[in-house]
Amino acid sequence: MMLSFFQLSLAICNVWPKRMGLKAFTVLYMVLLLAGMPVTLLSCIPYGLFGILVAVCIYGLAIDRDSASQNVCMGMIGCVLTIVIDNVLTNLLHMLIPLPFINQQYVSFGVRLMHILLFYLITLFCGKLLRKWLLSGKGVFCLSQTWYLMDAALLLLTTTYLFDDLIPGQNGSIGKMIYNNALHISGYLLVMLFLLLAMRRSYLEQIQTEAKQRALQDLQDYTHNIEVMYNRLRSFKHDYVNILLSISGYIENRDMNELKKFFEEKIFPTKNLIDQGDYKLNQLGNIGVLEIKSLLSAKVIYAHESGIDVTIDIPDRVDVFEMDTVDLARILGIFLDNAIEATLATQQPQIGLNIMQNEGGESIIINNRFQDHGVALHKLKQKGFSTKTGHQGIGLSNVQKILCSYDNVLLETTMQSGCFIQHMELAARKE
């Protein structure tokens, strides 16, 4: 028994996606021994084989979450390889070596040793081929959904084979029929589990990819605007030298009237150019999280260029936020996009951004002027409702979905005196 499960562990180890250490191999071997007890001790061959298969799946899911789907798939392939290669080698050796010869003690030991050595080499070769083919990261195999679907298909086929081909007839036993049906259902539930995991993984990856793309775009916009501001500064420094030279000529000639005229007509208007380039980004330097800083910078610059008066108040440095930065970026993006669109419809578009660091966490307040259409506040949070023509109205409802997974975040939305306010409190999370 111990040798059989050693071979099974060896085959799984040889086809495993990553290099398996001695400790991990020992754990796998012990897990398979425990799962195989019904086969060896109770003679429950079909049920025990199913238990071994489940043990391999659980081990693959638990040992490494990042490659769980690949672990499960390669583990099941290792089980199949073990059965196929072991049977082929046994039949081959029996054909090559006469049976009376094999029954001799020393010859039997040598044959068994040769069997294990050949088994190891063949599974090692098959493992290298499978890893080269399946783990190349090319085509559909680079998608985690593909692996989960392969897991589900392998489980379904194996379960069908075990319970439809290996299990003997019911013999009129109601208890055995119930037991077999329970095992059937368990097998199919495992298949559904892997399918649900594939769908969930796909959804999460899609959200993270979209969030990363937005963060990258915001960072590129931020970098571009910094470059534009730097070039304007260089241009102003060059003009500043020329201005000083021109002023020095009037001073040397003591022509104060012409100096005054030159100052009012040429120099003083440059104040407007400087003010136009002032995007009030200096306080965003207090944000120590690059993803959030780039997002806020891009939105503030866009609002400024759209003719919106933006007020920023971030008195203290904030190096960490008490929630996932991807989720926070999604929420702030929705709030600021809504604020920009709403305030542009007013005669005096204004937006205020306030971020404060306190002992209990962070406080974020975004306010904007808006046209009050008499819409109830609770309707704005409903999915599908929007005051903007052609919009799906899913922004604020998505915010509610995101915040449902955080018990340390409190959002308060108010409308007063033509001002729409989003106040979010991020409390420190408990360890």
Side-chain angles (χ1 to χ4, degrees):
M1 176 190 78
M2 298 182 68
L3 188 58
S4 298
F5 286 110
F6 178 77
Q7 285 189 188
L8 177 59
S9 304
L10 204 60
I12 294 174
C13 176
N14 285 338
V15 300
W16 203 250
K18 298 180 181 178
R19 182 179 178 84
M20 186 180 292
L22 179 60
K23 183 178 179 181
F25 179 82
T26 304
V27 172
L28 173 63
Y29 180 54
M30 297 304 297
V31 168
L32 293 177
L33 276 178
L34 292 174
M37 283 185 178
V39 178
T40 55
L41 300 180
L42 304 177
S43 299
C44 299
I45 295 177
Y47 314 122
L49 291 176
F50 179 70
I52 293 171
L53 189 66
V54 172
V56 171
C57 294
I58 294 175
Y59 178 83
L61 289 171
I63 197 69
D64 189 354
R65 295 182 62 183
D66 294 334
S67 59
S69 57
Q70 296 177 356
N71 295 342
V72 171
C73 183
M74 300 303 279
M76 287 190 288
I77 291 175
C79 293
V80 175
L81 277 178
T82 301
I83 297 173
V84 174
I85 295 174
D86 186 70
N87 287 333
V88 170
L89 286 177
T90 300
N91 294 330
L92 181 63
L93 290 174
H94 283 173
M95 289 174 58
L96 296 176
I97 303 174
L99 185 60
F101 216 53
I102 293 179
N103 291 333
Q104 296 182 14
Q105 183 178 359
Y106 295 107
V107 176
S108 176
F109 177 78
V111 170
R112 193 61 180 166
L113 192 62
M114 185 185 302
H115 182 280
I116 295 174
L117 180 61
L118 290 173
F119 179 86
Y120 172 76
L121 293 175
I122 294 173
T123 54
L124 185 64
F125 176 73
C126 292
K128 289 183 178 180
L129 287 180
L130 288 170
R131 281 194 294 268
K132 185 177 180 180
W133 179 47
L134 297 177
L135 302 177
S136 60
K138 299 178 181 178
V140 295
F141 294 113
C142 65
L143 303 174
S144 60
Q145 302 93 297
T146 302
W147 287 95
Y148 280 111
L149 291 174
M150 289 172 61
D151 294 342
L154 282 172
L155 268 174
L156 184 61
L157 292 173
T158 310
T159 302
T160 303
Y161 171 74
L162 288 176
F163 298 138
D164 289 348
D165 294 342
L166 290 186
I167 292 181
Q170 310 298 334
N171 297 325
S173 173
I174 297 178
K176 191 169 185 178
M177 181 180 65
I178 295 174
Y179 187 54
N180 289 346
N181 288 335
L183 287 174
H184 265 92
I185 293 171
S186 300
Y188 294 132
L189 284 177
L190 274 175
V191 174
M192 292 304 299
L193 172 64
F194 280 101
L195 290 175
L196 290 174
L197 285 173
M199 294 173 62
R200 180 178 179 274
R201 185 69 175 266
S202 176
Y203 174 72
L204 292 177
E205 286 182 350
Q206 181 182 356
I207 291 178
Q208 291 178 353
T209 301
E210 292 176 354
K212 288 179 181 179
Q213 288 176 347
R214 286 197 300 268
L216 179 60
Q217 183 62 46
D218 292 337
L219 184 59
Q220 290 174 345
D221 293 341
Y222 174 66
T223 305
H224 172 72
N225 284 286
I226 291 296
E227 291 175 353
V228 170
M229 292 171 65
Y230 176 71
N231 290 331
R232 288 182 179 178
L233 178 61
R234 289 182 60 188
S235 176
F236 175 75
K237 287 172 64 179
H238 181 269
D239 294 340
Y240 178 70
V241 174
N242 294 331
I243 289 172
L244 291 179
L245 292 174
S246 61
I247 290 176
S248 64
Y250 289 109
I251 293 176
E252 288 177 359
N253 296 331
R254 299 182 183 279
D255 192 347
M256 301 308 294
N257 291 330
E258 289 296 325
L259 176 62
K260 181 179 179 182
K261 180 179 179 182
F262 176 77
F263 177 80
E264 291 176 349
E265 293 180 357
K266 303 295 184 180
I267 298 178
F268 189 75
T270 60
K271 175 181 179 297
N272 296 329
L273 296 176
I274 298 173
D275 288 341
Q276 289 176 3
D278 180 13
Y279 293 107
K280 303 178 181 179
L281 297 178
N282 58 321
Q283 291 202 48
L284 288 180
N286 287 332
I287 302 295
V289 183
L290 182 59
E291 306 97 293
I292 304 302
K293 180 192 291 186
S294 60
L295 169 73
L296 295 177
S297 301
K299 298 298 181 184
V300 169
I301 291 171
Y302 175 74
H304 181 86
E305 292 177 346
S306 299
I308 300 173
D309 181 18
V310 182
T311 303
I312 303 175
D313 183 19
I314 309 175
D316 304 314
R317 183 166 180 82
V318 183
D319 290 317
V320 63
F321 289 93
E322 298 297 333
M323 70 182 301
D324 184 76
T325 54
V326 173
D327 290 337
L328 181 60
R330 291 175 63 196
I331 292 174
L332 293 180
I334 292 171
F335 285 166
L336 289 171
D337 286 341
N338 288 345
I340 291 171
E341 291 191 34
T343 198
L344 284 175
T346 63
Q347 294 182 351
Q348 294 180 334
Q350 292 181 357
I351 290 179
L353 171 64
N354 176 263
I355 301 178
M356 296 181 62
Q357 179 79 57
N358 49 58
E359 294 180 359
E362 300 82 39
S363 176
I364 302 174
I365 302 175
I366 298 175
N367 61 78
N368 63 276
R369 291 186 177 275
F370 76 108
Q371 285 186 343
D372 193 350
H373 298 286
V375 180
L377 185 59
H378 70 275
K379 288 188 176 181
L380 295 175
K381 300 179 181 180
Q382 295 177 358
K383 185 176 181 179
F385 182 84
S386 176
T387 58
K388 295 169 283 188
T389 305
H391 286 252
Q392 297 178 349
I394 60 175
L396 294 180
S397 63
N398 282 343
V399 170
Q400 297 298 321
K401 288 182 179 179
I402 296 172
L403 294 181
C404 285
S405 58
Y406 293 92
D407 56 3
N408 65 316
V409 180
L410 178 64
L411 174 64
E412 181 183 13
T413 305
T414 56
M415 294 187 297
Q416 54 184 16
S417 303
C419 188
F420 191 86
I421 304 171
Q422 297 279 15
H423 182 187
M424 191 163 59
E425 290 286 343
L426 282 67
R429 286 178 280 192
K430 298 180 181 179
E431 298 295 338

